[in-house]
Amino acid sequence: MSSAGAEKGSPLRLVLMIASASIGGTLQYGYNLAIMNAPTTFIQTFINETFIERWDIQLEDYQVTLVWTIIVSIFSLGGFAGALISGPMTIRFGRKKCLLLNNIFLMTAALLALLSRAARSFEMIIISRVLVGINAGISMNVQPMYFGESAPKHLRGAVSLSSAVFTAFGVVLGQVVGLREILGSEPCWQYLLASNAIPGLIQLLTLPWFPESPRYLLIDRGDKEACVNALRRLRGCEVQSSELDEILQEQAKTKGMRPSRPWELFTDRSVRWQLISVMIISSAMQLCGNDSIYFYASYVFKEAGIPADKIQYITIGTGTCEFTACIMCNLLIERKGRRFMLAGGFIFMTFWAVVFTIALSFEDRITWMSYLSMACVFTYILSFGMGPAGVTGVLPTEIFNQTARPAAYMIAGSMMWLNLFIIGMIFPFLVSGLREYCFVPFGAVCLLSALYVGLFLPETQGKSLSVITHEFHRLNFKGQNHHFESQTKAQYQLGEVCLSTAL
């Protein structure tokens, strides 16, 4: 074991682990959102034909749309279920094994989607989308946790943010695969829906070769030797004593404590503002309207004079835009900090929501306003990718300890999926009711979120959990800081004692 800074290892194995986990993890969320755009009319026709064959009933347009809405929206409810079961799964099986087992839902979903056309069953598509949603819900919670616990402190934000990079890459990949020239044609839509099995298969073949989360091995399993081996493999060098010291300190604080249940966090005053923060920011990630602007993009591009048959290619630009922004955020997050990126993203989104509203209002009177609307689509997505898209998933890893972290991710994930479902259901009514002012509510959410981040969220960049907990204590226990400081010092000493004993 070497002293801090004495040896610098290679991050290659850590990078490969990130790629392996992400390809079958958060990439699936973006991919399965994107692939549903191309086959819309084909699946709607299939639904109508199925009703005629079975019951000799010709569905009205609104009835076909209702069934299609269920197919699309049920993905969010599956994600909500996945978020709820992800916590118990990670506690029982560990982070890596949980991601591997998660592929059971994915492979079953792909098989149902592939056979749905031959079986003449749109119900199989609905079940498939539920299972794919469960898979995405588990991945969106477990993968950032796995990354945050495996990364060194100085790279923790960038590594955790890679989950968002792969989500954005999944959107682009889904848009490309969904092109008419590839799998987005009428004869191939069932293969498009089943194509998500390929990334899952890649993960099953590669992830077993990488180690489990070092923090899980030491704190949850009490296996110091396995933890040291995992750290050595991930860092490519001998374990730094300072890094092991930090994990041992956290182990000392949580020794004898069982993993928290979600409802227990609501009554625990010591994590009150941490919980409020992840609930608000996870909700804002969906309520900010970024996913809605993808739906609005086709209309905006059409109004800007883009030919209908070319819109599918321009739409790929929206996904590429978010992907590029997430990469930029990944490069900046360890320099500028979480708070700066998150607040900055929401402020820019507020600004572009105002500009977008003005452009939509004057579109009929000023010809070039349609082009401004098109520019706003890209700038809004860019702003989202630069902040909320990535930083949101990092926070629960950094502000909760090992016993509370799975429950915190369950709550954050549940808020995200529930709000995604709500937005998916009410957005058509927002458009029809508010028309050109439909992005005013989203702008208000972004503004309020920026204010919350600026006023209440401490910076977590490069800080240990003990320091972050101490900063949140000022909000959780106002007027009792002296007692907490003496308690914190005792815990630090306990960690040092554990380390010296272990060494």
Side-chain angles (χ1 to χ4, degrees):
M1 190 172 300
S2 62
S3 60
E7 194 173 345
K8 190 173 182 179
S10 169
L12 178 61
R13 189 179 291 271
L14 180 64
V15 170
L16 292 175
M17 182 270 281
I18 291 168
S20 174
S22 299
I23 285 172
T26 53
L27 181 142
Q28 293 284 2
Y29 170 65
Y31 187 79
N32 286 293
L33 278 179
I35 61 173
M36 292 307 290
N37 292 328
T40 300
T41 54
F42 307 136
I43 296 179
Q44 287 178 343
T45 302
F46 172 71
I47 293 167
N48 209 3
E49 290 174 351
T50 303
F51 269 85
I52 293 172
E53 289 175 10
R54 289 184 188 175
W55 301 293
D56 197 25
I57 296 174
Q58 176 74 43
L59 293 179
E60 300 289 336
D61 287 344
Y62 79 91
Q63 293 173 317
V64 175
T65 303
L66 177 61
V67 177
W68 171 249
T69 303
I70 292 171
I71 290 174
V72 173
S73 300
I74 206 77
F75 175 73
S76 303
L77 294 182
F80 175 65
L84 290 178
I85 65 174
S86 64
M89 283 183 69
T90 55
I91 294 167
R92 178 165 185 179
F93 300 111
R95 291 24 169 173
K96 186 182 83 169
K97 192 178 289 186
C98 182
L99 288 173
L100 291 170
L101 290 172
N102 192 25
N103 284 289
I104 295 172
F105 298 108
L106 178 69
M107 295 302 174
T108 306
L111 184 63
L112 287 170
L114 185 64
L115 299 177
S116 61
R117 189 168 189 170
R120 309 300 294 171
S121 172
F122 65 86
E123 295 90 345
M124 291 173 71
I125 301 176
I126 295 175
I127 298 171
S128 171
R129 291 296 290 176
V130 172
L131 293 174
V132 165
I134 293 173
N135 172 269
I138 293 172
S139 296
M140 293 290 283
N141 279 11
V142 179
Q143 186 180 303
M145 197 188 314
Y146 182 34
F147 289 176
E149 293 177 0
S150 301
K153 186 166 61 177
H154 68 284
L155 292 176
R156 192 173 55 205
V159 170
S160 297
L161 187 59
S162 61
S163 297
V165 173
F166 275 88
T167 299
F169 177 62
V171 171
V172 178
L173 186 63
Q175 290 171 336
V176 172
V177 175
L179 290 173
R180 286 188 294 271
E181 294 83 354
I182 304 180
L183 291 180
S185 58
E186 197 280 332
C188 297
W189 62 260
Q190 72 274 24
Y191 302 113
L192 177 63
L193 297 187
S195 62
N196 52 23
I198 297 174
L201 183 62
I202 293 172
Q203 185 185 75
L204 285 171
L205 293 173
T206 57
L207 190 59
W209 299 97
F210 297 98
E212 177 58 88
S213 155
R215 287 180 181 271
Y216 174 80
L217 290 171
L218 180 58
I219 299 173
D220 290 71
R221 293 296 185 213
D223 191 341
K224 186 193 168 190
E225 184 179 351
C227 170
V228 172
N229 287 334
L231 285 170
R232 188 181 292 120
R233 291 175 64 192
L234 288 170
R235 304 294 179 264
C237 65
E238 286 302 310
V239 179
Q240 306 296 318
S241 59
S242 59
E243 184 172 17
L244 187 60
D245 184 22
E246 185 187 337
I247 302 175
L248 285 166
Q249 287 174 17
E250 187 174 346
Q251 183 195 35
K253 294 172 194 175
T254 58
K255 191 172 183 179
M257 296 170 61
R258 61 169 175 76
S260 300
R261 296 181 174 90
W263 54 88
E264 291 174 343
L265 296 187
F266 287 99
T267 57
D268 186 351
R269 188 176 176 183
S270 67
V271 296
R272 178 178 298 172
W273 280 96
Q274 291 96 312
L275 189 62
I276 291 172
S277 296
V278 296
M279 289 180 67
I280 288 176
I281 295 169
S282 296
S283 298
M285 184 179 173
Q286 298 300 339
L287 297 178
C288 69
N290 183 72
D291 289 330
S292 302
I293 210 166
Y294 277 103
F295 295 115
Y296 215 73
S298 296
Y299 163 77
V300 172
F301 296 152
K302 185 178 178 182
E303 291 297 309
I306 305 296
D309 60 333
K310 303 295 182 186
I311 287 178
Q312 63 168 342
Y313 304 107
I314 304 295
T315 303
I316 294 176
T318 59
T320 306
C321 199
E322 184 174 338
F323 179 51
T324 304
C326 284
I327 292 176
M328 292 171 62
C329 184
N330 195 290
L331 298 173
L332 291 172
I333 190 169
E334 294 299 349
R335 295 183 181 182
K336 299 297 183 182
R338 287 66 159 146
R339 191 179 177 188
F340 176 87
M341 300 299 293
L342 197 56
F346 280 127
I347 289 169
F348 274 114
M349 290 173 75
T350 304
F351 173 76
W352 291 116
V354 172
V355 176
F356 195 30
T357 301
I358 294 170
L360 291 173
S361 301
F362 290 94
E363 209 168 46
D364 296 333
R365 282 167 275 181
I366 304 174
T367 54
W368 56 267
M369 279 293 178
S370 59
Y371 297 102
L372 179 59
S373 299
M374 192 164 78
C376 287
V377 170
F378 289 99
T379 52
Y380 199 86
I381 292 170
L382 263 175
S383 303
F384 176 77
M386 286 293 290
V391 182
T392 303
V394 177
L395 287 178
T397 297
E398 297 193 324
I399 65 179
F400 287 93
N401 65 23
Q402 193 78 4
T403 58
R405 198 170 291 135
Y409 266 105
M410 288 171 65
I411 294 169
S414 299
M415 297 303 297
M416 190 193 79
W417 286 102
L418 278 177
N419 283 293
L420 177 63
F421 177 74
I422 291 168
I423 285 295
M425 296 301 290
I426 70 171
F427 182 68
F429 301 101
L430 279 178
V431 174
S432 60
L434 299 178
R435 300 180 66 82
E436 65 267 24
Y437 301 105
C438 64
F439 268 80
V440 171
F442 299 136
V445 168
C446 293
L447 179 61
L448 292 173
S449 301
L451 289 172
Y452 178 84
V453 171
L455 293 173
F456 298 106
L457 186 68
E459 180 54 69
T460 60
Q461 177 193 1
K463 296 178 181 176
S464 67
L465 180 64
S466 298
V467 175
I468 295 168
T469 303
H470 178 67
E471 293 189 20
F472 268 107
H473 175 267
R474 296 169 186 170
L475 294 172
N476 293 327
F477 297 97
K478 288 184 178 179
Q480 300 179 32
N481 287 329
H482 179 72
H483 169 72
F484 179 77
E485 284 170 7
S486 60
Q487 185 182 37
T488 301
K489 287 178 182 177
Q491 289 173 334
Y492 268 115
Q493 291 167 359
L494 182 59
E496 289 166 5
V497 169
C498 287
L499 178 62
S500 60
T501 303
L503 295 177

